[in-house]
Coordinates of all heavy atoms in Angstrom, one line a residue:
Chain U
F353 N -36.8 5.2 4.5 CA -36.3 4.5 3.3 C -36.2 5.5 2.1 O -37.3 6.1 1.8 CB -37.1 3.3 3.0 CG -36.9 2.1 4.0 CD1 -37.6 2.1 5.1 CD2 -35.9 1.1 3.7 CE1 -37.4 1.1 6.1 CE2 -35.6 0.1 4.6 CZ -36.4 0.1 5.8
W354 N -35.1 5.8 1.6 CA -35.0 6.8 0.6 C -34.0 6.3 -0.4 O -33.4 5.3 -0.4 CB -34.5 8.1 1.2 CG -33.1 8.0 1.7 CD1 -32.6 7.3 2.9 CD2 -31.9 8.5 1.1 NE1 -31.0 7.4 2.9 CE2 -30.8 8.1 1.8 CE3 -31.7 9.2 0.0 CZ2 -29.4 8.5 1.6 CZ3 -30.4 9.6 -0.3 CH2 -29.3 9.2 0.3
A355 N -33.9 7.2 -1.5 CA -32.9 6.9 -2.5 C -32.3 8.3 -3.1 O -33.1 9.3 -3.2 CB -33.6 6.0 -3.7
T356 N -31.2 8.3 -3.8 CA -30.7 9.4 -4.3 C -31.5 9.9 -5.6 O -31.6 11.1 -5.9 CB -29.2 9.2 -4.8 OG1 -29.2 8.3 -5.9 CG2 -28.4 8.8 -3.5
Y357 N -32.2 9.0 -6.2 CA -32.9 9.4 -7.3 C -34.3 9.8 -7.1 O -35.1 10.2 -8.0 CB -33.0 8.2 -8.4 CG -33.7 6.9 -7.7 CD1 -34.9 6.8 -7.5 CD2 -32.7 5.9 -7.4 CE1 -35.5 5.7 -7.0 CE2 -33.3 4.8 -6.8 CZ -34.6 4.6 -6.6 OH -35.1 3.4 -6.0
C358 N -34.5 9.9 -5.8 CA -36.0 10.4 -5.3 C -36.1 11.9 -5.1 O -35.3 12.4 -4.2 CB -36.3 9.6 -4.0 SG -37.5 10.3 -3.0
G359 N -36.8 12.6 -5.9 CA -36.9 14.1 -5.9 C -37.3 14.5 -4.6 O -36.8 15.4 -3.9
P360 N -38.6 14.0 -3.9 CA -39.0 14.5 -2.6 C -38.0 14.2 -1.6 O -38.0 15.0 -0.6 CB -40.3 13.5 -2.5 CG -40.7 13.1 -3.9 CD -39.4 13.0 -4.7
C361 N -37.2 13.2 -1.7 CA -36.2 12.9 -0.7 C -35.3 14.1 -0.5 O -34.9 14.6 0.5 CB -35.5 11.6 -0.9 SG -36.5 10.1 -1.0
R362 N -34.8 14.4 -1.6 CA -33.9 15.6 -1.7 C -34.4 16.8 -1.2 O -33.8 17.5 -0.4 CB -33.4 15.8 -3.2 CG -32.5 16.9 -3.5 CD -32.2 17.0 -4.9 NE -31.5 15.9 -5.5 CZ -30.1 15.9 -5.6 NH1 -29.5 16.9 -5.3 NH2 -29.5 14.9 -6.1
K363 N -35.7 17.0 -1.5 CA -36.4 18.2 -1.1 C -36.7 18.3 0.3 O -36.5 19.3 0.9 CB -37.7 18.3 -1.9 CG -38.4 19.7 -1.8 CD -39.6 19.7 -2.7 CE -40.4 21.0 -2.4 NZ -41.6 21.0 -3.2
E364 N -36.9 17.1 1.0 CA -37.3 17.2 2.4 C -36.2 17.1 3.4 O -36.4 17.3 4.5 CB -38.3 16.1 2.7 CG -37.8 14.7 2.6 CD -39.0 13.6 2.9 OE1 -40.0 14.0 3.2 OE2 -38.6 12.5 2.7
M365 N -35.0 16.6 3.0 CA -34.0 16.5 3.9 C -33.6 17.6 4.8 O -33.3 17.5 5.9 CB -32.7 15.8 3.2 CG -32.9 14.3 2.9 SD -31.5 13.5 2.4 CE -32.0 11.8 2.5
P366 N -33.5 18.8 4.1 CA -33.3 20.0 5.1 C -34.3 20.1 6.2 O -33.9 20.5 7.3 CB -33.4 21.1 4.1 CG -33.1 20.7 2.7 CD -33.6 19.3 2.8
S367 N -35.5 19.7 6.0 CA -36.5 19.8 7.1 C -36.3 18.7 8.0 O -36.6 18.8 9.3 CB -38.0 19.8 6.6 OG -38.4 18.4 6.1
M368 N -35.7 17.6 7.6 CA -35.4 16.6 8.5 C -34.2 17.0 9.4 O -34.1 16.7 10.6 CB -35.0 15.3 7.8 CG -36.2 14.6 7.1 SD -35.7 13.3 6.0 CE -35.2 11.9 7.0
N369 N -33.3 17.8 8.8 CA -32.1 18.4 9.6 C -32.8 19.2 10.7 O -32.3 19.1 11.9 CB -31.2 19.2 8.8 CG -30.3 18.2 7.9 OD1 -30.1 17.1 8.2 ND2 -29.8 18.8 6.8
K370 N -33.8 20.1 10.3 CA -34.3 20.9 11.2 C -35.0 20.3 12.4 O -35.0 20.6 13.5 CB -35.4 21.9 10.6 CG -34.9 23.0 9.8 CD -36.0 23.8 9.2 CE -35.5 24.8 8.1 NZ -36.6 25.4 7.4

Side-chain angles (χ1 to χ4, degrees):
Chain U
F353 288 81
W354 70 284
T356 64
Y357 53 79
C358 159
C361 303
R362 177 183 292 265
K363 192 174 173 185
E364 71 182 353
M365 278 193 178
S367 74
M368 292 167 72
N369 285 342
K370 279 185 195 168

